Amino acid sequence: MLAELGGVRAAYGLGLVVTAAALLTAWRSMPEAPEGRYAHVDVTGAVVLAAALLLVLFLAGERNLWSRHLAVAAGLAVVAVVLLRVWAVIELRSTTPLVDVRAVRHPAVAGANLAMFVGGIGMYLLLTLITRYAQTPHGAGYGYGFGLTTFVAGLVLIPFSVLGFVAGKLTPRVRTRIADPLLLAGSAVVVGGGFALFAAARSDLAELFAAMGVLGFGVGGFSAAMPGVILAVTPKSETSSAMSFNYVVRSVGYSLGSAIDGLILAAGTGPGHLFPDDSAYTTAALVGVGAMAITTLTSLVLARRRSSETNP
């Protein structure tokens, strides 16, 4: 509603206000650390990581930069890699690191982060695909689109939210019978099913609701199962670090998924056209299927590894 009434800047502005309020509340209400347990905040590590991620996400979303200024784009990519390397060195040498890189290097934790990263790309790819598809005007002449306003298109997210909530509630019960890595694999398959549904059937608004519901159920189960995979192999003293890093990986995956969505649709937009061809959406959906296939295989490898460790 904010985006429709005041533009995109208004929507992001509200996010800025809410975030600032949360930061101020935390700063004013958080109790002091007990005597002898104070740890310095890793400001240097946070700044270097933020700079590296900013470059990565900027490069992922700037298609024109790669096509018109390849040398500049390649140079920035090298800088991003160097910054990530510098960040890793800073974390290894710090007594109070932002992220314990050594813990992240554990095969199970690394595999979980890979699954979260690739899965995040796929999950957000479909989320943005469906909302963009629903807002394409009827009379654009491309043979698709429902001409929904920004606010009404937002209602398409309701099945995603509802079924994601349901999956999150069901997952703890299912975990008593199925290992977390297998739940990850199953949830990735469900998300892949959402992509397949969108690729095959999107001529009716009800089909978009169905695809969004399938996506929400898969994302909800995936997010609920992920902590168990990481915490099972992480020392208690490092759980917050490992989980925080996983959330960063997820956010980067989401952002790249949105950027990749834009790149694919831009590549499928003909000269002088405002909207991509319908086939571009199919291509993007198939890319999402591939991403979820990688996520599923990674999760199955994690499941096999845990099974071999449990039953040597």
Side-chain angles (χ1 to χ4, degrees):
M1 184 178 293
L2 278 174
E4 190 167 322
L5 296 177
V8 176
R9 292 182 184 275
Y12 278 99
L14 177 62
L16 176 62
V17 171
V18 172
T19 304
L23 177 62
L24 179 62
T25 302
W27 176 54
R28 296 296 298 272
S29 61
M30 284 283 193
E32 294 290 337
E35 188 68 27
R37 296 186 60 185
Y38 176 77
H40 292 283
V41 177
D42 182 17
V43 176
T44 302
V47 171
V48 173
L49 178 61
L53 294 180
L54 178 64
L55 281 177
V56 170
L57 297 177
F58 172 75
L59 290 171
E62 290 297 323
R63 177 171 173 262
N64 290 335
L65 184 65
W66 288 98
S67 60
R68 298 179 182 178
H69 306 284
L70 181 59
V72 175
L76 291 177
V78 172
V79 173
V81 172
V82 171
L83 285 176
L84 287 173
R85 177 59 182 170
V86 170
W87 173 76
V89 172
I90 292 173
E91 298 307 288
L92 288 171
R93 294 181 177 179
S94 175
T95 55
T96 56
L98 185 70
V99 173
D100 185 356
V101 179
R102 295 180 181 85
V104 173
R105 291 186 300 183
H106 188 287
V109 178
N113 283 317
L114 175 62
M116 186 75 260
F117 176 69
V118 180
I121 291 175
M123 294 170 193
Y124 212 83
L125 180 63
L126 183 56
L127 199 65
T128 52
L129 276 179
I130 293 178
T131 52
R132 288 168 68 104
Y133 192 89
Q135 293 179 77
T136 302
H138 284 294
Y142 295 91
Y144 71 91
F146 298 94
L148 302 183
T149 63
T150 304
F151 173 68
V152 177
L155 299 180
V156 179
L157 299 174
I158 291 177
F160 175 88
S161 301
V162 172
L163 289 180
F165 177 80
V166 171
K169 289 296 183 180
L170 290 177
T171 299
R173 301 179 183 180
V174 179
R175 287 176 62 189
T176 59
R177 301 181 180 181
I178 303 176
D180 289 310
L182 288 178
L183 278 177
L184 281 184
S187 298
V189 170
V190 172
V191 175
F195 273 106
L197 179 60
F198 177 73
R202 52 177 185 265
S203 59
D204 190 270
L205 193 58
E207 294 169 342
L208 296 189
F209 275 91
M212 192 65 82
V214 172
L215 173 65
F217 192 80
V219 171
F222 194 92
S223 300
M226 178 60 74
V229 176
I230 296 177
L231 298 181
V233 295
T234 304
K236 291 184 178 180
S237 59
E238 302 298 336
T239 54
S240 61
S241 177
M243 289 305 304
S244 297
F245 186 75
N246 186 256
Y247 284 127
V248 171
V249 168
R250 179 178 67 177
S251 298
V252 173
Y254 284 173
S255 298
L256 286 177
S258 180
I260 291 172
D261 165 47
L263 290 174
I264 294 174
L265 295 184
T269 303
H273 291 202
L274 294 176
F275 300 95
D277 295 332
D278 188 46
S279 60
Y281 283 92
T282 303
T283 301
L286 294 178
V287 170
V289 170
M292 299 321 299
I294 295 174
T295 305
T296 301
L297 291 175
T298 304
S299 302
L300 290 175
V301 170
L302 291 174
R304 183 175 181 180
R305 181 182 181 86
R306 176 177 292 189
S307 178
S308 63
E309 291 176 350
T310 305
N311 304 301

